[in-house]
Amino acid sequence: MINLLPNLRRFALSLCRNPDIADDLVQITVERAFAARNHYDPATPLAAWTFRILRNAWIDMTRKTRNHGAQIPIDDMADGPSVDGRQVTEARLMLGSVEAAMAELPDQQREVMVLVCIEDMTYAEVAEILETPIGTVMSRLSRARINLAKMLGIE
């Protein structure tokens, strides 16, 4: 479980785009997983099980806070020291463009894109987490990639 914490936090950040809320989601996920450990099926990958718990926690949190108004996401995280240069600048600009474009994707497409492309999960694992057919995962990922490419001006 400890090894999954960075992955869970990344996924939580992709869902809520707020580090404080992401930390809360990870904590809720770990608490729920520990409380339901007797219901865990060892045939199911632990990552898939915990990612599904996290996603359900996010849905629960969203439903509860729907009437609390909009939350402002943190745009930039603190940057560490880096080497100046054209390549570093171009890479940062591209990363910023990709982050902005990812934020514009519909939630369902962004979820699939993060789980497959960043978390390196299989379509089957993502389908299990999102509780959707594999074909739906593949379709959402395809649309996400097309939309992302259009937003970034990549043909």
Side-chain angles (χ1 to χ4, degrees):
M1 177 66 82
I2 291 173
N3 293 337
L4 290 174
L5 293 177
N7 301 35
L8 289 169
R9 186 164 193 278
R10 267 194 309 270
F11 183 51
L13 272 170
S14 78
L15 294 174
C16 66
R17 296 177 232 143
N18 181 315
D20 294 330
I21 296 173
D23 290 340
D24 291 345
L25 280 170
V26 172
Q27 182 174 345
I28 291 167
T29 300
V30 171
E31 289 173 358
R32 287 183 182 180
F34 183 75
R37 66 187 179 277
N38 295 335
H39 300 287
Y40 173 67
D41 178 9
T44 303
L46 183 61
W49 187 64
T50 54
F51 273 78
R52 185 180 322 135
I53 292 171
L54 190 142
R55 183 171 181 268
N56 289 339
W58 168 244
I59 291 169
D60 292 345
M61 186 181 284
T62 302
R63 286 180 183 152
K64 286 180 186 175
T65 60
R66 191 171 284 161
N67 296 326
H68 289 124
Q71 296 182 2
I72 301 170
I74 294 177
D75 295 329
D76 298 321
M77 295 186 65
D79 292 331
S82 63
V83 177
D84 287 335
R86 192 177 84 191
Q87 187 176 19
V88 171
T89 303
E90 288 175 0
R92 285 190 178 178
L93 289 172
M94 180 54 104
L95 180 59
S97 298
V98 171
E99 287 175 338
M102 287 279 291
E104 295 296 318
L105 288 175
D107 291 343
Q108 293 177 337
Q109 291 179 15
R110 188 178 58 255
E111 285 177 349
V112 171
M113 183 76 100
V114 168
L115 292 173
V116 172
C117 298
I118 297 174
E119 297 302 331
D120 200 30
M121 292 187 168
T122 66
Y123 294 160
E125 290 171 329
V126 174
E128 187 174 333
I129 290 167
L130 302 180
E131 298 176 322
T132 60
I134 289 178
T136 302
V137 170
M138 292 169 31
S139 174
R140 287 179 186 170
L141 182 61
S142 175
R143 283 182 301 212
R145 287 176 172 160
I146 290 168
N147 289 337
L148 196 61
K150 284 180 184 174
M151 286 187 256
L152 294 172
I154 301 170
E155 294 300 320

